[in-house]
Amino acid sequence: EVQLVESGGGLVQPGRPLRLSCTTSGLTFSDHAMNWVRQAPGKGLEWVGLIRSQTYGGTTEYAASVKGRVTISRDESKSTAYLQMNSLKVEDTAVYYCTSSTSELPLAPLDIWGQGTMVTVSS
Amino acid sequence: AIRMTQSPSSLSASTGDRVTITCRASQGISSFLAWYQQKPGKAPKLLISATATLQPGVPSRFSGSASGTDFTLTISDLQSEDFGTYYCQQYYTYLYSFGQGTNLEIK
């Protein structure tokens, strides 16, 4: 069974950094792009960014709303993806989902989701 | 960035009804359109990919179609378990983008 498990969420002060982790099991991690999607309380889904598989260069893409403040990385040896968020703002408060696709294509629908981890940015 | 405009934002329907949710892309996205269902407190679940391909285990009362840049999710014979929020998403190009969501309530 494929599983994505996020961790690292919590309460953080504005301006501080936070790193989320997404540990995977049940899939060949190196073959799959990893995405982050967030959902502010009571709001819709917002795609944050992704890191491509090594097959496609392991490069990253970011939403305009977070570009320059977040970095997505991956550790093949740990089958884990990371979302490093810097200079956090109150409006970054959200549930952050790690998500991927069973397809190895670079553009694919997201059929694998973690349970989400809550990030609250508040003083 | 491609903008996905979804409507209606909410709707209420009775079991047995047929409901339609529409999503319009701001530019052509070929058939790279997915539909998700999200229940409160849960992660989204992929229902349909490539505009009209049902995911394994998704009931056949769900269907998807398209006309140009207009995409439609139809639920026929609505069941009580179909409540939740539905989102469209384009994966034609980065940056991926979602519609605003449609909250479906069962009367």
Side-chain angles (χ1 to χ4, degrees):
Chain A
E1 180 191 9
V2 178
Q3 276 197 311
L4 307 180
V5 179
E6 303 95 337
S7 59
L11 176 63
V12 60
Q13 292 180 327
R16 302 293 292 171
L18 190 69
R19 188 179 81 160
L20 305 181
S21 300
C22 172
T23 303
T24 73
S25 60
L27 79 166
T28 305
F29 180 74
S30 59
D31 289 341
H32 297 268
M34 300 301 297
N35 295 257
W36 289 91
V37 171
R38 69 182 180 181
Q39 186 169 37
K43 302 297 183 182
L45 302 172
E46 179 187 17
W47 180 79
V48 174
L50 67 77
I51 185 164
R52 296 180 179 88
S53 67
Q54 294 303 313
T55 302
Y56 291 94
T59 52
T60 54
E61 304 282 352
Y62 301 104
S65 59
V66 299
K67 195 170 185 178
R69 294 193 301 119
V70 308
T71 302
I72 298 174
S73 60
R74 58 192 298 153
D75 185 333
E76 307 298 329
S77 68
K78 295 181 179 179
S79 297
T80 298
Y82 302 96
L83 175 65
Q84 174 71 46
M85 299 185 288
N86 298 321
S87 304
L88 280 163
K89 305 177 181 180
V90 172
E91 51 265 39
D92 293 319
T93 295
V95 174
Y96 285 75
Y97 293 102
C98 174
T99 174
S100 185
S101 176
T102 51
S103 169
E104 297 174 9
L105 295 174
L107 294 165
L110 304 171
D111 58 344
I112 313 170
W113 292 73
Q115 83 285 356
T117 187
M118 182 71 203
V119 173
T120 302
V121 184
S122 174
S123 54
Chain B
I2 298 175
R3 185 172 61 255
M4 306 302 292
T5 303
Q6 191 174 334
S7 62
S9 57
S10 65
L11 76 151
S12 180
S14 301
T15 54
D17 284 354
R18 180 175 181 269
V19 300
T20 299
I21 299 169
T22 299
C23 192
R24 173 168 290 175
S26 61
Q27 63 188 75
I29 58 170
S30 186
S31 62
F32 291 78
L33 190 283
W35 290 98
Y36 300 83
Q37 177 195 62
Q38 186 180 33
K39 302 233 173 150
K42 300 294 186 182
K45 172 188 174 184
L46 177 66
L47 297 177
I48 289 173
S49 62
T51 298
T53 301
L54 243 59
Q55 295 303 109
V58 175
S60 58
R61 63 180 179 274
F62 290 88
S63 63
S65 63
S67 176
T69 57
D70 291 338
F71 298 82
T72 300
L73 171 68
T74 300
I75 312 172
S76 54
D77 191 23
L78 193 68
Q79 300 298 300
S80 57
E81 62 264 31
D82 297 335
F83 76 93
T85 304
Y86 291 80
Y87 296 91
C88 61
Q89 180 228 350
Q90 67 80 17
Y91 55 99
Y92 176 73
T93 185
Y94 308 114
L95 316 158
Y96 287 171
S97 47
F98 290 91
Q100 305 95 314
T102 296
N103 184 43
L104 173 59
E105 174 195 85
I106 310 298
K107 289 179 185 176

